[in-house]
mmCIF file with all atom_site columns, all heavy atoms in Angstrom:
data_model
loop_
_atom_site.group_PDB
_atom_site.id
_atom_site.type_symbol
_atom_site.label_atom_id
_atom_site.label_alt_id
_atom_site.label_comp_id
_atom_site.label_asym_id
_atom_site.label_entity_id
_atom_site.label_seq_id
_atom_site.pdbx_PDB_ins_code
_atom_site.Cartn_x
_atom_site.Cartn_y
_atom_site.Cartn_z
_atom_site.occupancy
_atom_site.B_iso_or_equiv
_atom_site.pdbx_formal_charge
_atom_site.auth_seq_id
_atom_site.auth_comp_id
_atom_site.auth_asym_id
_atom_site.auth_atom_id
_atom_site.pdbx_PDB_model_num
ATOM 1   N N   . ALA A 1 193 ? 139.059 41.259 149.656 1.00 92.00 ? 251 ALA A N   1
ATOM 2   C CA  . ALA A 1 193 ? 137.810 40.550 149.825 1.00 92.00 ? 251 ALA A CA  1
ATOM 3   C C   . ALA A 1 193 ? 137.809 39.218 149.030 1.00 92.00 ? 251 ALA A C   1
ATOM 4   O O   . ALA A 1 193 ? 137.405 38.168 149.537 1.00 92.00 ? 251 ALA A O   1
ATOM 5   C CB  . ALA A 1 193 ? 136.617 41.389 149.395 1.00 92.00 ? 251 ALA A CB  1
ATOM 6   N N   . TYR A 1 194 ? 138.300 39.275 147.795 1.00 90.00 ? 252 TYR A N   1
ATOM 7   C CA  . TYR A 1 194 ? 138.299 38.061 146.973 1.00 90.00 ? 252 TYR A CA  1
ATOM 8   C C   . TYR A 1 194 ? 139.168 36.984 147.529 1.00 90.00 ? 252 TYR A C   1
ATOM 9   O O   . TYR A 1 194 ? 138.734 35.825 147.617 1.00 90.00 ? 252 TYR A O   1
ATOM 10  C CB  . TYR A 1 194 ? 138.725 38.423 145.573 1.00 90.00 ? 252 TYR A CB  1
ATOM 11  C CG  . TYR A 1 194 ? 138.774 37.208 144.647 1.00 90.00 ? 252 TYR A CG  1
ATOM 12  C CD1 . TYR A 1 194 ? 137.681 36.843 143.939 1.00 90.00 ? 252 TYR A CD1 1
ATOM 13  C CD2 . TYR A 1 194 ? 139.995 36.490 144.471 1.00 90.00 ? 252 TYR A CD2 1
ATOM 14  C CE1 . TYR A 1 194 ? 137.695 35.654 143.150 1.00 90.00 ? 252 TYR A CE1 1
ATOM 15  C CE2 . TYR A 1 194 ? 140.046 35.389 143.633 1.00 90.00 ? 252 TYR A CE2 1
ATOM 16  C CZ  . TYR A 1 194 ? 138.905 34.966 142.969 1.00 90.00 ? 252 TYR A CZ  1
ATOM 17  O OH  . TYR A 1 194 ? 138.953 33.869 142.179 1.00 90.00 ? 252 TYR A OH  1
ATOM 18  N N   . TYR A 1 195 ? 140.408 37.317 147.914 1.00 88.00 ? 253 TYR A N   1
ATOM 19  C CA  . TYR A 1 195 ? 141.311 36.254 148.362 1.00 88.00 ? 253 TYR A CA  1
ATOM 20  C C   . TYR A 1 195 ? 141.022 35.766 149.806 1.00 88.00 ? 253 TYR A C   1
ATOM 21  O O   . TYR A 1 195 ? 141.334 34.641 150.143 1.00 88.00 ? 253 TYR A O   1
ATOM 22  C CB  . TYR A 1 195 ? 142.762 36.722 148.234 1.00 88.00 ? 253 TYR A CB  1
ATOM 23  C CG  . TYR A 1 195 ? 143.163 36.753 146.766 1.00 88.00 ? 253 TYR A CG  1
ATOM 24  C CD1 . TYR A 1 195 ? 143.305 37.956 146.089 1.00 88.00 ? 253 TYR A CD1 1
ATOM 25  C CD2 . TYR A 1 195 ? 143.395 35.542 146.096 1.00 88.00 ? 253 TYR A CD2 1
ATOM 26  C CE1 . TYR A 1 195 ? 143.628 37.930 144.741 1.00 88.00 ? 253 TYR A CE1 1
ATOM 27  C CE2 . TYR A 1 195 ? 143.732 35.552 144.742 1.00 88.00 ? 253 TYR A CE2 1
ATOM 28  C CZ  . TYR A 1 195 ? 143.844 36.750 144.097 1.00 88.00 ? 253 TYR A CZ  1
ATOM 29  O OH  . TYR A 1 195 ? 144.156 36.739 142.764 1.00 88.00 ? 253 TYR A OH  1
ATOM 30  N N   . THR A 1 196 ? 140.359 36.604 150.553 1.00 91.00 ? 254 THR A N   1
ATOM 31  C CA  . THR A 1 196 ? 139.847 36.130 151.874 1.00 91.00 ? 254 THR A CA  1
ATOM 32  C C   . THR A 1 196 ? 138.828 35.026 151.609 1.00 91.00 ? 254 THR A C   1
ATOM 33  O O   . THR A 1 196 ? 138.893 33.934 152.247 1.00 91.00 ? 254 THR A O   1
ATOM 34  C CB  . THR A 1 196 ? 139.204 37.256 152.665 1.00 91.00 ? 254 THR A CB  1
ATOM 35  O OG1 . THR A 1 196 ? 140.227 38.231 152.969 1.00 91.00 ? 254 THR A OG1 1
ATOM 36  C CG2 . THR A 1 196 ? 138.634 36.756 153.957 1.00 91.00 ? 254 THR A CG2 1
ATOM 37  N N   . GLN A 1 197 ? 137.935 35.255 150.688 1.00 90.00 ? 255 GLN A N   1
ATOM 38  C CA  . GLN A 1 197 ? 136.912 34.238 150.361 1.00 90.00 ? 255 GLN A CA  1
ATOM 39  C C   . GLN A 1 197 ? 137.540 33.011 149.783 1.00 90.00 ? 255 GLN A C   1
ATOM 40  O O   . GLN A 1 197 ? 137.085 31.844 150.053 1.00 90.00 ? 255 GLN A O   1
ATOM 41  C CB  . GLN A 1 197 ? 135.849 34.869 149.424 1.00 90.00 ? 255 GLN A CB  1
ATOM 42  C CG  . GLN A 1 197 ? 134.693 33.902 149.095 1.00 90.00 ? 255 GLN A CG  1
ATOM 43  C CD  . GLN A 1 197 ? 133.689 34.577 148.165 1.00 90.00 ? 255 GLN A CD  1
ATOM 44  O OE1 . GLN A 1 197 ? 133.846 35.678 147.793 1.00 90.00 ? 255 GLN A OE1 1
ATOM 45  N NE2 . GLN A 1 197 ? 132.603 33.856 147.884 1.00 90.00 ? 255 GLN A NE2 1
ATOM 46  N N   . LEU A 1 198 ? 138.555 33.206 148.902 1.00 85.00 ? 256 LEU A N   1
ATOM 47  C CA  . LEU A 1 198 ? 139.221 32.049 148.272 1.00 85.00 ? 256 LEU A CA  1
ATOM 48  C C   . LEU A 1 198 ? 139.836 31.156 149.291 1.00 85.00 ? 256 LEU A C   1
ATOM 49  O O   . LEU A 1 198 ? 139.746 29.926 149.267 1.00 85.00 ? 256 LEU A O   1
ATOM 50  C CB  . LEU A 1 198 ? 140.229 32.546 147.267 1.00 85.00 ? 256 LEU A CB  1
ATOM 51  C CG  . LEU A 1 198 ? 141.118 31.463 146.589 1.00 85.00 ? 256 LEU A CG  1
ATOM 52  C CD1 . LEU A 1 198 ? 140.239 30.542 145.737 1.00 85.00 ? 256 LEU A CD1 1
ATOM 53  C CD2 . LEU A 1 198 ? 142.193 32.062 145.721 1.00 85.00 ? 256 LEU A CD2 1
ATOM 54  N N   . LEU A 1 199 ? 140.594 31.718 150.238 1.00 85.00 ? 257 LEU A N   1
ATOM 55  C CA  . LEU A 1 199 ? 141.252 30.912 151.254 1.00 85.00 ? 257 LEU A CA  1
ATOM 56  C C   . LEU A 1 199 ? 140.286 30.283 152.200 1.00 85.00 ? 257 LEU A C   1
ATOM 57  O O   . LEU A 1 199 ? 140.505 29.133 152.673 1.00 85.00 ? 257 LEU A O   1
ATOM 58  C CB  . LEU A 1 199 ? 142.298 31.770 152.007 1.00 85.00 ? 257 LEU A CB  1
ATOM 59  C CG  . LEU A 1 199 ? 143.711 31.781 151.423 1.00 85.00 ? 257 LEU A CG  1
ATOM 60  C CD1 . LEU A 1 199 ? 143.741 32.354 150.014 1.00 85.00 ? 257 LEU A CD1 1
ATOM 61  C CD2 . LEU A 1 199 ? 144.693 32.589 152.307 1.00 85.00 ? 257 LEU A CD2 1
ATOM 62  N N   . ASN A 1 200 ? 139.187 31.010 152.506 1.00 89.00 ? 258 ASN A N   1
ATOM 63  C CA  . ASN A 1 200 ? 138.165 30.376 153.304 1.00 89.00 ? 258 ASN A CA  1
ATOM 64  C C   . ASN A 1 200 ? 137.567 29.149 152.631 1.00 89.00 ? 258 ASN A C   1
ATOM 65  O O   . ASN A 1 200 ? 137.294 28.137 153.275 1.00 89.00 ? 258 ASN A O   1
ATOM 66  C CB  . ASN A 1 200 ? 137.016 31.367 153.565 1.00 89.00 ? 258 ASN A CB  1
ATOM 67  C CG  . ASN A 1 200 ? 137.356 32.400 154.640 1.00 89.00 ? 258 ASN A CG  1
ATOM 68  O OD1 . ASN A 1 200 ? 136.862 33.521 154.600 1.00 89.00 ? 258 ASN A OD1 1
ATOM 69  N ND2 . ASN A 1 200 ? 138.217 32.071 155.579 1.00 89.00 ? 258 ASN A ND2 1
ATOM 70  N N   . SER A 1 201 ? 137.459 29.190 151.331 1.00 86.00 ? 259 SER A N   1
ATOM 71  C CA  . SER A 1 201 ? 136.908 28.046 150.561 1.00 86.00 ? 259 SER A CA  1
ATOM 72  C C   . SER A 1 201 ? 137.837 26.864 150.561 1.00 86.00 ? 259 SER A C   1
ATOM 73  O O   . SER A 1 201 ? 137.445 25.737 150.313 1.00 86.00 ? 259 SER A O   1
ATOM 74  C CB  . SER A 1 201 ? 136.631 28.467 149.118 1.00 86.00 ? 259 SER A CB  1
ATOM 75  O OG  . SER A 1 201 ? 137.842 28.669 148.390 1.00 86.00 ? 259 SER A OG  1
ATOM 76  N N   . LEU A 1 202 ? 139.136 27.084 150.901 1.00 81.00 ? 260 LEU A N   1
ATOM 77  C CA  . LEU A 1 202 ? 140.068 25.987 150.995 1.00 81.00 ? 260 LEU A CA  1
ATOM 78  C C   . LEU A 1 202 ? 140.078 25.387 152.444 1.00 81.00 ? 260 LEU A C   1
ATOM 79  O O   . LEU A 1 202 ? 140.909 24.527 152.726 1.00 81.00 ? 260 LEU A O   1
ATOM 80  C CB  . LEU A 1 202 ? 141.507 26.471 150.663 1.00 81.00 ? 260 LEU A CB  1
ATOM 81  C CG  . LEU A 1 202 ? 141.712 26.948 149.165 1.00 81.00 ? 260 LEU A CG  1
ATOM 82  C CD1 . LEU A 1 202 ? 143.128 27.477 149.009 1.00 81.00 ? 260 LEU A CD1 1
ATOM 83  C CD2 . LEU A 1 202 ? 141.441 25.758 148.229 1.00 81.00 ? 260 LEU A CD2 1
ATOM 84  N N   . GLY A 1 203 ? 139.182 25.837 153.277 1.00 84.00 ? 261 GLY A N   1
ATOM 85  C CA  . GLY A 1 203 ? 139.018 25.298 154.596 1.00 84.00 ? 261 GLY A CA  1
ATOM 86  C C   . GLY A 1 203 ? 139.840 25.992 155.690 1.00 84.00 ? 261 GLY A C   1
ATOM 87  O O   . GLY A 1 203 ? 139.958 25.515 156.765 1.00 84.00 ? 261 GLY A O   1
ATOM 88  N N   . ILE A 1 204 ? 140.317 27.236 155.340 1.00 88.00 ? 262 ILE A N   1
ATOM 89  C CA  . ILE A 1 204 ? 141.081 27.982 156.362 1.00 88.00 ? 262 ILE A CA  1
ATOM 90  C C   . ILE A 1 204 ? 140.120 28.948 157.057 1.00 88.00 ? 262 ILE A C   1
ATOM 91  O O   . ILE A 1 204 ? 139.478 29.725 156.450 1.00 88.00 ? 262 ILE A O   1
ATOM 92  C CB  . ILE A 1 204 ? 142.231 28.749 155.679 1.00 88.00 ? 262 ILE A CB  1
ATOM 93  C CG1 . ILE A 1 204 ? 143.129 27.730 154.975 1.00 88.00 ? 262 ILE A CG1 1
ATOM 94  C CG2 . ILE A 1 204 ? 143.031 29.559 156.675 1.00 88.00 ? 262 ILE A CG2 1
ATOM 95  C CD1 . ILE A 1 204 ? 144.233 28.397 154.133 1.00 88.00 ? 262 ILE A CD1 1
ATOM 96  N N   . ALA A 1 205 ? 140.013 28.817 158.355 1.00 90.00 ? 263 ALA A N   1
ATOM 97  C CA  . ALA A 1 205 ? 139.075 29.534 159.147 1.00 90.00 ? 263 ALA A CA  1
ATOM 98  C C   . ALA A 1 205 ? 139.437 30.992 159.321 1.00 90.00 ? 263 ALA A C   1
ATOM 99  O O   . ALA A 1 205 ? 138.581 31.912 159.156 1.00 90.00 ? 263 ALA A O   1
ATOM 100 C CB  . ALA A 1 205 ? 138.814 28.927 160.503 1.00 90.00 ? 263 ALA A CB  1
ATOM 101 N N   . GLU A 1 206 ? 140.690 31.267 159.649 1.00 94.00 ? 264 GLU A N   1
ATOM 102 C CA  . GLU A 1 206 ? 141.121 32.654 159.892 1.00 94.00 ? 264 GLU A CA  1
ATOM 103 C C   . GLU A 1 206 ? 142.108 33.077 158.787 1.00 94.00 ? 264 GLU A C   1
ATOM 104 O O   . GLU A 1 206 ? 143.155 32.443 158.619 1.00 94.00 ? 264 GLU A O   1
ATOM 105 C CB  . GLU A 1 206 ? 141.818 32.772 161.244 1.00 94.00 ? 264 GLU A CB  1
ATOM 106 C CG  . GLU A 1 206 ? 140.927 32.424 162.448 1.00 94.00 ? 264 GLU A CG  1
ATOM 107 C CD  . GLU A 1 206 ? 141.655 32.545 163.775 1.00 94.00 ? 264 GLU A CD  1
ATOM 108 O OE1 . GLU A 1 206 ? 142.579 33.425 163.837 1.00 94.00 ? 264 GLU A OE1 1
ATOM 109 O OE2 . GLU A 1 206 ? 141.285 31.809 164.715 1.00 94.00 ? 264 GLU A OE2 1
ATOM 110 N N   . VAL A 1 207 ? 141.728 34.107 158.076 1.00 92.00 ? 265 VAL A N   1
ATOM 111 C CA  . VAL A 1 207 ? 142.510 34.540 156.877 1.00 92.00 ? 265 VAL A CA  1
ATOM 112 C C   . VAL A 1 207 ? 142.869 36.010 157.020 1.00 92.00 ? 265 VAL A C   1
ATOM 113 O O   . VAL A 1 207 ? 141.955 36.817 157.371 1.00 92.00 ? 265 VAL A O   1
ATOM 114 C CB  . VAL A 1 207 ? 141.722 34.276 155.617 1.00 92.00 ? 265 VAL A CB  1
ATOM 115 C CG1 . VAL A 1 207 ? 142.515 34.878 154.393 1.00 92.00 ? 265 VAL A CG1 1
ATOM 116 C CG2 . VAL A 1 207 ? 141.474 32.816 155.383 1.00 92.00 ? 265 VAL A CG2 1
ATOM 117 N N   . ARG A 1 208 ? 144.071 36.321 156.715 1.00 94.00 ? 266 ARG A N   1
ATOM 118 C CA  . ARG A 1 208 ? 144.471 37.729 156.635 1.00 94.00 ? 266 ARG A CA  1
ATOM 119 C C   . ARG A 1 208 ? 145.119 37.998 155.328 1.00 94.00 ? 266 ARG A C   1
ATOM 120 O O   . ARG A 1 208 ? 146.084 37.303 154.957 1.00 94.00 ? 266 ARG A O   1
ATOM 121 C CB  . ARG A 1 208 ? 145.462 38.100 157.756 1.00 94.00 ? 266 ARG A CB  1
ATOM 122 C CG  . ARG A 1 208 ? 145.831 39.598 157.807 1.00 94.00 ? 266 ARG A CG  1
ATOM 123 C CD  . ARG A 1 208 ? 146.897 39.868 158.788 1.00 94.00 ? 266 ARG A CD  1
ATOM 124 N NE  . ARG A 1 208 ? 147.102 41.340 158.951 1.00 94.00 ? 266 ARG A NE  1
ATOM 125 C CZ  . ARG A 1 208 ? 148.165 41.833 159.560 1.00 94.00 ? 266 ARG A CZ  1
ATOM 126 N NH1 . ARG A 1 208 ? 149.134 41.058 159.998 1.00 94.00 ? 266 ARG A NH1 1
ATOM 127 N NH2 . ARG A 1 208 ? 148.367 43.139 159.569 1.00 94.00 ? 266 ARG A NH2 1
ATOM 128 N N   . VAL A 1 209 ? 144.552 38.938 154.565 1.00 94.00 ? 267 VAL A N   1
ATOM 129 C CA  . VAL A 1 209 ? 145.135 39.260 153.249 1.00 94.00 ? 267 VAL A CA  1
ATOM 130 C C   . VAL A 1 209 ? 145.698 40.661 153.287 1.00 94.00 ? 267 VAL A C   1
ATOM 131 O O   . VAL A 1 209 ? 145.046 41.596 153.718 1.00 94.00 ? 267 VAL A O   1
ATOM 132 C CB  . VAL A 1 209 ? 144.020 39.167 152.136 1.00 94.00 ? 267 VAL A CB  1
ATOM 133 C CG1 . VAL A 1 209 ? 144.628 39.581 150.802 1.00 94.00 ? 267 VAL A CG1 1
ATOM 134 C CG2 . VAL A 1 209 ? 143.458 37.778 152.051 1.00 94.00 ? 267 VAL A CG2 1
ATOM 135 N N   . ILE A 1 210 ? 146.974 40.747 152.892 1.00 95.00 ? 268 ILE A N   1
ATOM 136 C CA  . ILE A 1 210 ? 147.693 42.065 152.867 1.00 95.00 ? 268 ILE A CA  1
ATOM 137 C C   . ILE A 1 210 ? 148.007 42.381 151.434 1.00 95.00 ? 268 ILE A C   1
ATOM 138 O O   . ILE A 1 210 ? 148.569 41.547 150.703 1.00 95.00 ? 268 ILE A O   1
ATOM 139 C CB  . ILE A 1 210 ? 148.942 42.026 153.707 1.00 95.00 ? 268 ILE A CB  1
ATOM 140 C CG1 . ILE A 1 210 ? 148.595 41.759 155.201 1.00 95.00 ? 268 ILE A CG1 1
ATOM 141 C CG2 . ILE A 1 210 ? 149.740 43.317 153.574 1.00 95.00 ? 268 ILE A CG2 1
ATOM 142 C CD1 . ILE A 1 210 ? 149.847 41.567 156.064 1.00 95.00 ? 268 ILE A CD1 1
ATOM 143 N N   . VAL A 1 211 ? 147.652 43.580 151.022 1.00 95.00 ? 269 VAL A N   1
ATOM 144 C CA  . VAL A 1 211 ? 148.043 44.082 149.674 1.00 95.00 ? 269 VAL A CA  1
ATOM 145 C C   . VAL A 1 211 ? 149.211 45.054 149.841 1.00 95.00 ? 269 VAL A C   1
ATOM 146 O O   . VAL A 1 211 ? 149.034 46.065 150.520 1.00 95.00 ? 269 VAL A O   1
ATOM 147 C CB  . VAL A 1 211 ? 146.870 44.739 148.958 1.00 95.00 ? 269 VAL A CB  1
ATOM 148 C CG1 . VAL A 1 211 ? 147.326 45.234 147.569 1.00 95.00 ? 269 VAL A CG1 1
ATOM 149 C CG2 . VAL A 1 211 ? 145.699 43.775 148.825 1.00 95.00 ? 269 VAL A CG2 1
ATOM 150 N N   . ARG A 1 212 ? 150.342 44.682 149.381 1.00 93.00 ? 270 ARG A N   1
ATOM 151 C CA  . ARG A 1 212 ? 151.537 45.443 149.656 1.00 93.00 ? 270 ARG A CA  1
ATOM 152 C C   . ARG A 1 212 ? 151.369 46.889 149.238 1.00 93.00 ? 270 ARG A C   1
ATOM 153 O O   . ARG A 1 212 ? 150.993 47.213 148.095 1.00 93.00 ? 270 ARG A O   1
ATOM 154 C CB  . ARG A 1 212 ? 152.719 44.822 148.896 1.00 93.00 ? 270 ARG A CB  1
ATOM 155 C CG  . ARG A 1 212 ? 154.078 45.277 149.388 1.00 93.00 ? 270 ARG A CG  1
ATOM 156 C CD  . ARG A 1 212 ? 155.203 44.523 148.725 1.00 93.00 ? 270 ARG A CD  1
ATOM 157 N NE  . ARG A 1 212 ? 155.211 43.078 149.112 1.00 93.00 ? 270 ARG A NE  1
ATOM 158 C CZ  . ARG A 1 212 ? 155.048 42.099 148.246 1.00 93.00 ? 270 ARG A CZ  1
ATOM 159 N NH1 . ARG A 1 212 ? 154.872 42.359 146.988 1.00 93.00 ? 270 ARG A NH1 1
ATOM 160 N NH2 . ARG A 1 212 ? 155.080 40.870 148.634 1.00 93.00 ? 270 ARG A NH2 1
ATOM 161 N N   . GLY A 1 213 ? 151.610 47.777 150.194 1.00 92.00 ? 271 GLY A N   1
ATOM 162 C CA  . GLY A 1 213 ? 151.509 49.199 149.948 1.00 92.00 ? 271 GLY A CA  1
ATOM 163 C C   . GLY A 1 213 ? 150.157 49.766 150.166 1.00 92.00 ? 271 GLY A C   1
ATOM 164 O O   . GLY A 1 213 ? 149.955 50.995 150.138 1.00 92.00 ? 271 GLY A O   1
ATOM 165 N N   . TYR A 1 214 ? 149.110 48.919 150.426 1.00 91.00 ? 272 TYR A N   1
ATOM 166 C CA  . TYR A 1 214 ? 147.774 49.451 150.580 1.00 91.00 ? 272 TYR A CA  1
ATOM 167 C C   . TYR A 1 214 ? 147.065 48.921 151.831 1.00 91.00 ? 272 TYR A C   1
ATOM 168 O O   . TYR A 1 214 ? 145.984 49.366 152.159 1.00 91.00 ? 272 TYR A O   1
ATOM 169 C CB  . TYR A 1 214 ? 146.898 49.055 149.399 1.00 91.00 ? 272 TYR A CB  1
ATOM 170 C CG  . TYR A 1 214 ? 147.245 49.800 148.144 1.00 91.00 ? 272 TYR A CG  1
ATOM 171 C CD1 . TYR A 1 214 ? 148.350 49.470 147.335 1.00 91.00 ? 272 TYR A CD1 1
ATOM 172 C CD2 . TYR A 1 214 ? 146.575 50.971 147.781 1.00 91.00 ? 272 TYR A CD2 1
ATOM 173 C CE1 . TYR A 1 214 ? 148.702 50.208 146.241 1.00 91.00 ? 272 TYR A CE1 1
ATOM 174 C CE2 . TYR A 1 214 ? 146.871 51.754 146.694 1.00 91.00 ? 272 TYR A CE2 1
ATOM 175 C CZ  . TYR A 1 214 ? 147.976 51.315 145.874 1.00 91.00 ? 272 TYR A CZ  1
ATOM 176 O OH  . TYR A 1 214 ? 148.269 52.077 144.843 1.00 91.00 ? 272 TYR A OH  1
#
Side-chain angles (χ1 to χ4, degrees):
Y252 177 87
Y253 287 105
T254 297
Q255 183 178 4
L256 175 64
L257 269 62
N258 285 151
S259 71
L260 295 176
I262 301 174
E264 298 180 30
V265 175
R266 185 186 186 197
V267 178
I268 298 174
V269 180
R270 196 174 293 118
Y272 288 83

